[in-house]
Amino acid sequence: MQITLEIQRYDPQKDKEAFFEKYDVEINPNDRLLDALMKVKQYIDPTLGFRKSCAHGVCGSDAMVVNGVERLACKTLIKDVINKDGSPIKIEPLQTLPIQKDLMVDQSRFFEHYRQVKPYFINKEPIKEKERIQSQEEREDFDDGTKCILCAACYSACPVVRGINPSFLGPASIVQAERFIDDSRDEGFEERASLLDFPDGIWPCQNFYQCTRVCPRHIKITQLINKTKENIVKYRTSRGEKIHDLP
Ligand code: SF4
Ligand code: FES
C-alpha cells in the first residue's frame, strides 16, 4: 500500500523555522514506522535526520511524536497509525527538547535531570558474603523501574514539563530514583530524598497520567511517582520535619 508521511523538517543551520514535508512511501501495513522512515532516507531524501540504533525497542533512541502521540518508531506498526480519513501520518520530534535537526532532539536536559537523582546503587557497607542477598519478592519490588530505556517519551508528553513548570525533574528521573529506593540492598534513600524534595523536584507532578499513557515499556510511572512522594512524606514525618513544598 502507499502511505504519505508528513514529517517536520528543521535544520537550525539554514532554516528560519520548522516546516512540514510530505513523502509518499510504498510499504506493507505490518511494517514498522521505522521501516518507512528508512525508505525515505535511503530512496527519497538522504538529508532527513532521525536517530535509531537497536530497531527493537531497547535503546530508546527513536522516540518521536506520531499523530500527536509519543511513540518509538521501531515499535509502531504502520497499520496502527494510518489515519482513517486518509490524511498523512504526521511525524514530529519530541516536545520541549531543543531540535538538533528534523526529528533529532538534544537530550542534554533530560539526562542532566536523570543524573541529578543518583541513578546508581548506593551502599557503602562491605559485602558480607559473596554477594548482597535479596529474596525474589524483594527483587520484584523494583522490577517496573528497571524496564526504563530512557527514551524521553514521558518527558515530552508531560504537561508539567511542557508548560506548567519546565524545570520539573520529569517522570523518568523519578522512576529511576524509585528503582533504587525500592531496592532492599540500596542505602541511598536519604541522599535521594533531599534531591527529590524541592520545589522543582518531585512535587510539580499533578498526576496527569500522560507519561504512563505513552511509555513504550508500559511502566506504571504515575503510580511510582506517587509511591516516591509517600516514601518522602513518611520519612519527613518520622523525623518531625516538614515537606519542602508539598502542594
Ligand atoms: S519511563 Fe518509559 S517513557 Fe519514560 S524514559 Fe523510561 S521507558 Fe521512556
Ligand atoms: S531504535 Fe532502539 S528503541 Fe527504537
Side-chain angles (χ1 to χ4, degrees):
M1 72 179 295
Q2 193 182 70
I3 58 162
T4 304
L5 302 180
E6 188 176 15
I7 305 178
Q8 183 175 311
R9 305 293 311 267
Y10 178 59
D11 181 348
Q13 294 194 334
K14 62 182 179 68
D15 299 324
K16 283 206 177 91
E17 55 187 33
F19 60 96
F20 283 92
E21 200 150 347
K22 289 184 183 162
Y23 301 95
D24 294 331
V25 185
E26 200 55 42
I27 197 113
N28 186 305
N30 288 316
D31 281 344
R32 303 159 311 164
L33 184 62
L34 181 61
D35 300 315
L37 289 170
M38 291 299 290
K39 278 197 168 184
V40 172
K41 187 154 179 85
Q42 282 171 349
Y43 303 113
I44 307 174
D45 187 347
T47 69
L48 177 65
F50 61 91
R51 281 200 190 92
K52 63 110 189 160
S53 182
C54 71
H56 285 86
V58 179
C59 72
S61 55
D62 62 344
M64 53 191 72
V65 179
V66 184
N67 291 337
V69 179
E70 283 75 6
R71 289 171 170 272
L72 292 180
C74 66
K75 294 278 282 179
T76 301
L77 297 182
I78 295 294
K79 64 181 178 189
D80 293 333
V81 286
I82 290 175
N83 292 312
K84 286 194 182 112
D85 63 1
S87 57
I89 300 170
K90 199 168 188 176
I91 308 175
E92 296 161 279
L94 290 183
Q95 308 178 74
T96 75
L97 294 167
I99 299 172
Q100 286 177 319
K101 185 174 185 303
D102 301 331
L103 302 174
M104 302 191 306
V105 291
D106 179 354
Q107 294 178 312
S108 306
R109 179 160 34 99
F110 172 74
F111 279 103
E112 268 164 35
H113 289 186
Y114 165 65
R115 282 190 287 271
Q116 215 169 309
V117 300
K118 304 200 173 190
Y120 44 80
F121 187 69
I122 300 174
N123 187 335
K124 296 191 177 94
E125 288 295 310
I127 300 172
K128 292 194 185 95
E129 297 172 43
K130 278 187 187 162
E131 56 187 325
R132 297 182 200 275
I133 306 295
Q134 188 168 54
S135 72
Q136 212 168 328
E137 291 73 27
E138 285 169 334
R139 172 63 182 78
E140 276 168 16
D141 270 352
F142 63 89
D143 197 55
D144 213 19
T146 64
K147 295 175 191 159
C148 178
I149 54 171
L150 297 171
C151 67
C154 55
Y155 192 78
S156 166
C158 175
V160 178
V161 176
R162 290 216 314 261
I164 298 168
N165 181 353
S167 305
F168 171 41
L169 211 43
S173 307
I174 302 169
V175 164
Q176 292 296 327
E178 188 60 26
R179 177 256 173 268
F180 289 98
I181 289 171
D182 280 341
D183 189 330
S184 59
R185 304 161 301 174
D186 185 273
E187 293 185 347
F189 177 75
E190 287 189 17
E191 283 178 56
R192 287 194 199 92
S194 62
L195 297 168
L196 294 161
D197 184 15
F198 71 102
D200 295 336
I202 194 166
W203 308 116
C205 172
Q206 296 180 26
N207 286 358
F208 284 107
Y209 277 87
Q210 291 297 346
C211 52
T212 306
R213 284 189 194 105
V214 301
C215 177
R217 304 292 292 179
H218 308 295
I219 299 171
K220 297 182 191 75
I221 304 176
T222 316
Q223 202 172 305
L224 284 179
I225 293 175
N226 289 337
K227 191 175 176 191
T228 314
K229 283 180 178 175
E230 279 168 27
N231 281 330
I232 293 173
V233 171
K234 264 190 228 153
Y235 169 71
R236 291 279 184 237
T237 310
S238 71
R239 293 162 61 99
E241 293 170 355
K242 281 170 77 177
I243 303 307
H244 185 84
D245 192 16
L246 197 59

